[in-house]
Amino acid sequence: DGPGRGARGHRGFRGRRGPGGGGMLHGLLAHAEQLELTDDQQAQIKEIATESRKSMVQLRANAELAQIELQELIRSDDPNLDAIEQGLKKVANAHVAERFATIEAGVNARAVLTDDQQAKVKEAMQGRRGPEGRRGDGPKRGDGPKRGGGRMGGGGTGGARSERSGR
């Protein structure tokens, strides 16, 4: 057994993580026999995975281009805060599009499964989660040192607020 692995030493239906929902899609295909996937279901899931991977190439490129454009705005000799804010939103939206595409691929792949197969996947995924629905048994949010209470001391808020937007 290793980190994130079940009692039998495999990762459940999530599989390895990858672009375009690759983790879940790979996991479904890796457990095709256990799920009793038909040849048609496997072909459909493979097609979803392929199309998702193609889409993710473009989405990642869009995110990277938006990041480059944002850096240009920030490094400008006369930075325009409104343009920088729009650039930040463009980067954020590009990342949202990536995440949505991953979720969409997973939803589309699950739609290929029968109710019984979906129940098996859900059961396997829930079995991998620890208390309170979290995966693994590492530290939970809020378990670490509090701000200002760590070894480095300090305190404060860790950054200035923007007067322009009140954030």
Side-chain angles (χ1 to χ4, degrees), residues 10 42 47 77 97 103 134:
H10 59 77
Q42 290 181 56
E47 178 66 21
D77 290 339
I103 292 167
R134 292 186 180 105

Side-chain angles (χ1 to χ4, degrees), residues 2-36:
R5 296 179 190 274
R8 294 186 193 144
H10 59 77
R11 292 188 173 270
F13 292 101
R14 290 278 306 168
R16 62 183 167 84
R17 291 179 185 248
M24 179 184 178
L25 302 179
H26 175 76
L28 291 175
L29 293 170
H31 293 87
E33 188 174 317
Q34 187 178 356
L35 287 170
E36 300 177 20

Side-chain angles (χ1 to χ4, degrees), residues 58-74 83-100:
Q58 185 63 52
L59 292 170
R60 285 205 172 103
N62 291 345
E64 191 169 342
L65 290 170
Q67 185 66 45
I68 291 168
E69 291 168 2
L70 174 63
Q71 290 303 317
E72 288 177 352
L73 292 170
I74 292 169
I84 291 170
E85 182 177 29
Q86 290 305 309
L88 281 167
K89 288 178 181 180
K90 187 174 179 180
V91 170
N93 287 338
H95 288 298
V96 167
E98 286 181 65
R99 182 70 176 122
F100 182 80

Side-chain angles (χ1 to χ4, degrees), residues 74-167:
I74 292 169
R75 291 181 182 135
S76 169
D77 290 339
D78 186 23
N80 177 327
L81 290 176
D82 289 329
I84 291 170
E85 182 177 29
Q86 290 305 309
L88 281 167
K89 288 178 181 180
K90 187 174 179 180
V91 170
N93 287 338
H95 288 298
V96 167
E98 286 181 65
R99 182 70 176 122
F100 182 80
T102 300
I103 292 167
E104 183 179 38
V107 168
N108 290 342
R110 280 197 329 245
V112 170
L113 304 178
T114 66
D115 291 343
D116 285 344
Q117 290 166 331
Q118 287 186 29
K120 286 180 186 180
V121 171
K122 187 174 183 177
E123 182 181 320
M125 290 179 76
Q126 284 177 340
R128 291 183 57 231
R129 297 189 183 277
E132 302 168 19
R134 292 186 180 105
R135 280 187 265 154
D137 41 321
K140 308 297 183 268
R141 206 174 260 173
D143 287 350
K146 303 296 181 243
R147 194 171 274 224
R151 287 190 221 178
M152 300 298 283
T157 61
R161 281 207 159 133
S162 167
E163 289 184 31
R164 184 173 154 274
S165 62
R167 287 177 272 178

